[in-house]
Amino acid sequence: MKTIAALTVLAGSAAAFAPAPVSRVESSLSYAAELDSMTGVSAETGNKVFDPLGLSDYVPTDWARRAELSNGRSAMLATVGWVWPKVFGTFDSQDVTTTDPIDAILQADPQWWAQFIVICGVFETWKYRQELDGKSFLGGDSPAVDYLKFWPEDAAAQEEMKLKELKNARLAMIGVAGFAANHFLPGACPVPDFA
């Protein structure tokens, strides 16, 4: 009897050191409030902000949008670069002799990579200077690059163009990921051979 009483007292005192139960507050809006006013919410995302990992809680939304557009624009160019050699062939070159983009990366001379990195640095420096002058690469009143004068004057048309670019950028990022997955795991994605 004494043993049962001692165990009961010990068990009761152990509860004093257990963490207190905390009521969880569930919220369906766990993203940054700035996302509500940003372009990009449409039918493809279920007319909601698409942030399944909750990154907007940790990363400034303006920076995330710049990164998304920058990577999306690079992916659009990479999509063309992936398909072009297979459809139209390659330039006359002694360095790169394949139409496979991954093999071409490995065949390219290091001198080419040095030139590529320098030209990227020049573009990024120019882009930064344009942003300091109030020009925008995200689409605003005064775009930094609009040689063909495609940027509309109407605010509604500007929003429509921003959404089109964002959708194309997102699709290109998925497409390049599919091309790469299919390269390393043949048959992983339904990617045509283009040959």
Side-chain angles (χ1 to χ4, degrees):
M1 186 63 131
K2 290 182 192 179
T3 307
I4 294 174
L7 287 175
T8 305
V9 170
L10 286 174
S13 65
F17 299 105
V22 178
S23 64
R24 287 183 60 140
V25 177
E26 295 291 330
S27 172
S28 61
L29 301 175
S30 64
Y31 58 85
E34 299 93 34
L35 292 177
D36 285 332
S37 62
M38 291 180 84
T39 303
V41 175
S42 72
E44 292 85 2
T45 60
N47 292 320
K48 297 183 214 170
V49 172
F50 183 74
D51 187 15
L53 300 177
L55 296 178
S56 62
D57 294 337
Y58 306 102
V59 177
T61 55
D62 184 52
W63 181 86
R65 175 52 49 92
R66 288 174 186 272
E68 181 179 25
L69 276 175
S70 180
N71 288 318
R73 289 168 180 164
S74 297
M76 287 188 263
L77 287 172
T79 302
V80 172
W82 195 286
V83 174
W84 184 275
K86 293 183 179 189
V87 175
F88 299 105
T90 60
F91 299 109
D92 186 26
S93 169
Q94 280 69 29
D95 290 342
V96 179
T97 59
T98 182
T99 59
D100 182 4
I102 302 297
D103 290 341
I105 289 170
L106 300 175
Q107 287 181 5
D109 189 356
Q111 170 186 314
W112 185 91
W113 284 110
Q115 293 172 3
F116 178 73
I117 290 169
V118 167
I119 195 71
C120 287
V122 168
F123 283 143
E124 287 298 318
T125 302
W126 180 78
K127 181 176 148 182
Y128 178 72
R129 288 180 182 255
Q130 292 294 315
E131 287 180 357
L132 290 178
D133 292 339
K135 306 271 183 168
S136 172
F137 281 88
L138 299 177
D141 294 332
S142 179
V145 178
D146 188 21
Y147 300 121
L148 301 175
K149 305 297 181 207
F150 282 147
W151 188 245
E153 299 293 327
D154 180 35
Q158 289 177 357
E159 288 300 314
E160 182 182 355
M161 185 170 280
K162 285 182 190 179
L163 183 60
K164 285 178 184 179
E165 181 185 24
L166 190 58
K167 286 181 177 185
N168 284 317
R170 289 172 176 170
L171 181 62
M173 287 187 279
I174 292 169
V176 168
F179 287 155
N182 200 56
H183 175 80
F184 292 109
L185 299 169
C189 298
V191 176
D193 191 18
F194 298 112

